[in-house]
Amino acid sequence: ERRSARRFDGVMMAIISSGEGSEEKSPWHILYFSHAQDVLDYLGANFLQPIVVGWMVEYYPLVKRQGQVRGYYFDYSRIYARQPEEPTDPQPRRWQLNGIPLN
């Protein structure tokens, strides 16, 4: 349980250290869509519906300011930049019926 908590804290701190978060030009970078809400929950922030402000950036306005911050920006570009993995099976797939090749 402690290990999981440390791992979670490490992920949250890595995201928070990836940018300012409070400006569109310095958003927090995330690897999964759920991480945006995880970070906001981690910070204890109550947020409203996110707003798309750029091709890969969303803004989460806060219900109540946290100091001077009215909301946080998240960059999703790393999610879309991931390339699909190469198939591990080098053989082309072939149609079979009960183990008998059809082509």
Side-chain angles (χ1 to χ4, degrees), residues 30-85:
I30 56 174
L31 300 177
Y32 297 98
F33 291 107
S34 63
H35 282 171
Q37 292 182 8
D38 290 341
V39 168
L40 294 170
D41 288 340
Y42 183 78
L43 296 174
N46 293 322
F47 53 92
L48 301 169
Q49 187 72 24
I51 301 166
V52 176
V53 294
W55 184 251
M56 300 286 178
V57 178
E58 277 190 347
Y59 174 70
Y60 282 76
L62 300 178
V63 172
K64 185 177 178 185
R65 277 185 177 187
Q66 288 186 330
Q68 296 294 325
V69 179
R70 294 179 181 217
Y72 293 101
Y73 294 87
F74 291 89
D75 184 319
Y76 293 90
S77 63
R78 294 174 191 245
I79 295 171
Y80 295 114
R82 280 194 242 153
Q83 298 295 320
E85 293 182 18

